[in-house]
Amino acid sequence: MQGVGFRPWVHALANRFSLKGHVLNSTLGVEIEIEGPTASVNAFLAEFRAHPPQLAQLDDIIDEELPPGTASSFSIRPSRAETGEFVLVPPDTATCPDCLADLTNPANRRFGYPFTNCTNCGPRYSIICDIPYDRPHTTMAGFAMCPACLAEYENPSDRRFHAQPNACDVCGPWVELRDHARTLAAKAGALTAARELLTAGHILAIKGLGGFHLACNAADHAAVQRLRDRKHRSRKPFALMAASLEAVDRFCEVTAAERAMLSGIRRPIVILPAHPDVDLSPAIAPRVNSFGVMLPYTPLHHLLFAGGQFSALVMTSANVSEEPIAFRDEEVPKRLHPLAGHTLTHNRTIHTRLDDSVVRAFEDRERVLRRARGYAPRPIDVRRPLAPILACGAELKNTLCLTRDHYAVLSPHIGDLENLETVELWQETLAHMRRFFRVDPMAVAYDSHPNYATTRLALAMERVEKFAVQHHHAHIVSCMAENRITGKVIGVAMDGTGYGTDGKIWGGEFFVCDEANFQRFAHIRNVPLAGGDMAIRQPWRSAMAWLAAAGLPLPATLETVPAAHRSVVNTMLRRQVNTVDTSSCGRLFDAASSLLGLCQVSTYEGQAAIELEAIAAPGNSDAYPFDFAGATLDFSETLRHVIADRHNPALASARFHNSIAAAIAESCARIWQAEGLTRVCLSGGVFQNFTLLRRTVALLREGGFAVYLHAQVPPNDGGLSLGQAVVANARLAGPGR
Ligand code: ZN
Ligand code: ZN
Ligand code: FE
């Protein structure tokens, strides 16, 4: 991995043992030549293996003996590019404690400088234009270092030795505060003015590491509500940036594992249980008893909190609905002026835009739900060789994946490919990653849905083998790949939407599968959804579908839906006009949420299920009945009980969750009996519901199963490209080829 302070560390180590030779970055990795007495060389190697620098990721150490050289000392040589070789490009890293100390020490020349960094921290992937990673290949190329910065850069014993983005107030980038017409203030004055505006209840667009955020004081209800109105975002929770861990403690329950995630080098948004009645706007996360919280990760963020005027800011990606995050200053007038009156920006260009990553702890382990800043483009090491493959991902929450050697490199979160901007971003990301990682794919894997944008893009490619991969097969193989397991497993995919081999919409699937093939052993009962995609946005349509399928009368909770709308849907269901059958578990959750009167119209993906989970009574373990009819799992009885218990929705929600978990465990037991398989992989977006996940895992373990979950890649469609790539790799290597 380049850009993690490796060469200066090697230099210091070689000097410690009085060794001669050199170290250099090449696209192959890091090359070190050392020469000296055997004891010293061995001592060097022992220390090298035992205590590598904290950001380094050593995948392999290959050593060989060389004839004596002519070096008289140890040196750091210029980087060398090997054509066609793979190199690990480092992710962006949060400000380190040493840099934070510089930033807050009035005697230090970096005091209050919002772009300070060192070999242990700072921007990387977001500013790298090409490899090898050297300053001329970054967006810092235009800033010539002042003598003081250059001295640090050239001094092997300095923390900023060869820190490519090294800069200071004299020579580096600076911040500016602008309104729609002009620049109001620059440098320290801009930060002071920005803090005052936030304190006074203004919404600011703030250029960060990977793009612009919209920010406002999280305690200012009017400001948060105004931000909701401007973003046309009625209920989807906003992320918070809290001043410190102590501030997070005031808002949320935080475990030791979660503290480590919050304050580590990646600084994702961590989803945490919210304390009731905190001193923050209730509009931040309505109807959801959790907050997504992150800590400051750049010096600029730390400085925003330096005045102590607020303990948390709402920090949401600067975009309208699902467009890609804005990251160029040129975009500000058109895209951000309608949203924010002022912009705090700077003149360090962002080359690759990156959203904030989102994680949640399960069994004290970090589970990535959106993988972007701080994570991408660190590869997933699958511990076996993979052919060069491009996997295109799915339609929503898209990521793409390139493989080579034993690595799968997932792109950062790209978004929903429903608008032209996002499709262009997908193409740009592919071009970018092909250049960085030197991958020339021999095969392309894509979702078998005929109408996905990625399907069209894949089919248009030339000179590559093409593999259509069933959506849920990709989900399960993604889980297998990151757990490094092979062979036959039980795959449980509980999901929203995925195209099935029978042309129906799947999403409640029990597979017996390996990496190349799958067999659909069982699935949730098909119900007819009226109105296609409209049904995803209107959970009451799922409720009507299940009521019709189960022969249940309309409960009073659905009477809030206009009678005219209901009767249109009833006619469609009766005549089977514009309906599509689905076995989706996501739609089953929608139905339950609607039947309890929680959510009839969904304003963001997963809203009905999220609001259903939020009210579930804790500590409840009883379940409602469900039925097996051959290979189909029928929840008609379950929903009949949900309706009967609707006056106690907390209890009904808990029991509903437990019923799905029990049905999953029962289905797996049947597969064990039939096929003798005991390994279960859980995947699909529904498993972002940790109430369901916790119960399912507990029941499966009680039943004697080995359970495999996602951690490094999301269980939602953001992890799909990894599975697609591994399926294509298995088929390329398969029998008959
Ligand atoms: Zn640092
Ligand atoms: Zn300088
Ligand atoms: Fe999916």
Side-chain angles (χ1 to χ4, degrees), residues 456-658:
R456 291 193 296 276
L457 290 162
L459 292 177
M461 288 177 194
E462 289 167 8
R463 294 182 299 275
V464 286
E465 269 202 77
K466 290 164 192 172
F467 296 95
V469 181
Q470 199 279 327
H471 188 93
H472 303 102
H473 187 210
H475 268 309
I476 300 303
V477 175
S478 169
C479 180
M480 293 173 72
E482 74 155 300
N483 285 289
R484 296 166 177 163
I485 59 171
T486 56
K488 261 194 183 182
V489 299
I490 301 172
V492 179
M494 293 296 133
D495 202 26
T497 298
Y499 193 75
T501 52
D502 55 2
K504 295 177 179 177
I505 301 299
W506 292 7
E509 309 307 311
F510 297 89
F511 287 174
V512 168
C513 65
D514 59 18
E515 289 132 303
N517 297 295
F518 73 92
Q519 177 205 338
R520 193 186 195 199
F521 191 93
H523 60 86
I524 292 176
R525 176 183 178 174
N526 282 314
V527 296
L529 275 185
D533 280 355
M534 190 98 90
I536 296 174
R537 290 188 292 274
Q538 301 182 355
W540 63 271
R541 289 176 185 248
S542 292
M544 301 272 291
W546 272 97
L547 291 176
L552 293 169
L554 192 87
T557 40
L558 255 72
E559 281 165 15
T560 56
V561 177
H565 296 187
R566 278 186 274 124
S567 103
V568 169
V569 163
N570 259 333
T571 310
M572 288 163 81
L573 290 175
R574 208 171 46 246
R575 296 194 191 147
Q576 295 188 18
V577 177
N578 193 13
T579 64
V580 54
D581 278 355
T582 184
S583 57
S584 165
C585 190
R587 297 296 83 75
L588 177 60
F589 269 84
D590 285 354
S593 187
S594 162
L595 292 171
L596 290 175
L598 297 172
C599 178
Q600 306 301 359
V601 176
S602 171
T603 62
Y604 63 91
E605 203 206 345
Q607 180 182 337
I610 288 166
E611 294 182 2
L612 179 66
E613 185 193 357
I615 63 153
N620 184 295
S621 62
D622 21 301
Y624 298 131
F626 51 86
D627 296 296
F628 275 98
T632 64
L633 196 46
D634 190 345
F635 290 100
S636 298
E637 266 303 290
T638 315
L639 292 179
R640 195 173 64 77
H641 282 81
V642 166
I643 295 166
D645 282 348
R646 69 182 179 277
H647 302 297
N648 188 347
L651 183 73
S653 169
R655 286 179 171 165
F656 173 79
H657 281 83
N658 294 337

Side-chain angles (χ1 to χ4, degrees), residues 41-69:
V41 170
N42 286 341
F44 174 95
L45 284 173
E47 183 62 20
F48 187 92
R49 288 175 204 272
H51 304 111
Q54 60 167 353
L55 295 187
Q57 184 188 4
L58 293 180
D59 286 316
D60 259 317
I61 301 172
I62 304 162
D63 54 61
E64 66 183 296
E65 267 182 56
L66 299 169

Side-chain angles (χ1 to χ4, degrees), residues 109-110 144-150 166-172:
R109 72 185 195 92
R110 296 296 190 334
M145 274 183 266
C146 70
C149 285
L150 195 61
N166 190 30
C168 76
D169 196 39
V170 174
C171 65

Side-chain angles (χ1 to χ4, degrees), residues 303-497:
L303 292 169
L304 282 174
F305 287 102
Q309 292 106 322
F310 28 78
S311 53
L313 292 171
V314 165
M315 278 285 215
T316 184
S317 303
N319 54 3
V320 177
S321 65
E322 302 302 322
E323 285 174 13
I325 183 172
F327 74 118
R328 290 191 185 103
D329 286 278
E330 305 87 87
E331 298 175 277
V332 170
K334 186 164 155 263
R335 294 186 62 192
L336 302 188
H337 281 169
L339 302 172
H342 298 84
T343 308
L344 183 66
T345 186
H346 59 74
N347 55 346
R348 188 179 72 201
T349 305
I350 298 167
H351 185 72
T352 296
R353 75 183 105 189
L354 291 155
D355 284 284
D356 294 313
S357 296
V358 180
V359 308
R360 198 168 169 185
F362 183 75
E363 297 181 330
D364 279 348
R365 186 151 172 219
E366 182 179 274
R367 312 288 166 171
V368 176
L369 302 180
R370 182 169 74 195
R371 198 171 178 277
R373 174 187 51 79
Y375 295 79
R378 183 178 282 250
I380 311 292
D381 180 355
V382 297
R383 293 278 165 89
R384 70 204 139 102
L386 296 170
I389 292 165
L390 160 66
C392 298
E395 185 87 339
L396 301 180
K397 295 184 167 66
N398 181 281
T399 61
L400 61 86
C401 174
L402 288 170
T403 58
R404 70 170 286 178
D405 305 342
H406 48 113
Y407 293 124
V409 188
L410 273 81
S411 72
H413 168 83
I414 294 174
D416 298 349
L417 299 181
E418 287 173 329
N419 53 64
L420 189 62
E421 284 89 351
T422 322
V423 174
E424 282 170 358
L425 174 60
W426 187 94
Q427 290 170 304
E428 184 187 306
T429 303
L430 174 60
H432 206 153
M433 285 178 54
R434 281 185 61 159
R435 192 170 71 244
F436 274 15
F437 301 107
R438 313 268 156 104
V439 180
D440 191 15
M442 61 184 288
V444 56
Y446 59 99
D447 195 282
S448 52
H449 196 298
N451 297 330
Y452 280 0
T454 43
T455 301
R456 291 193 296 276
L457 290 162
L459 292 177
M461 288 177 194
E462 289 167 8
R463 294 182 299 275
V464 286
E465 269 202 77
K466 290 164 192 172
F467 296 95
V469 181
Q470 199 279 327
H471 188 93
H472 303 102
H473 187 210
H475 268 309
I476 300 303
V477 175
S478 169
C479 180
M480 293 173 72
E482 74 155 300
N483 285 289
R484 296 166 177 163
I485 59 171
T486 56
K488 261 194 183 182
V489 299
I490 301 172
V492 179
M494 293 296 133
D495 202 26
T497 298

Side-chain angles (χ1 to χ4, degrees), residues 194-195 198-199 202 204 206 214-219 224 227 238-243 251 280 284 292-294 300-301 304-305 309-316:
R195 283 192 295 256
L198 288 166
T199 309
H202 289 263
L204 256 68
I206 299 175
L214 294 172
C216 71
N217 180 358
V224 177
L227 181 55
F238 283 138
L240 296 176
M241 182 177 279
F251 311 137
L280 295 175
I284 293 166
V293 191
M294 60 188 151
L300 175 61
H301 296 144
L304 282 174
F305 287 102
Q309 292 106 322
F310 28 78
S311 53
L313 292 171
V314 165
M315 278 285 215
T316 184

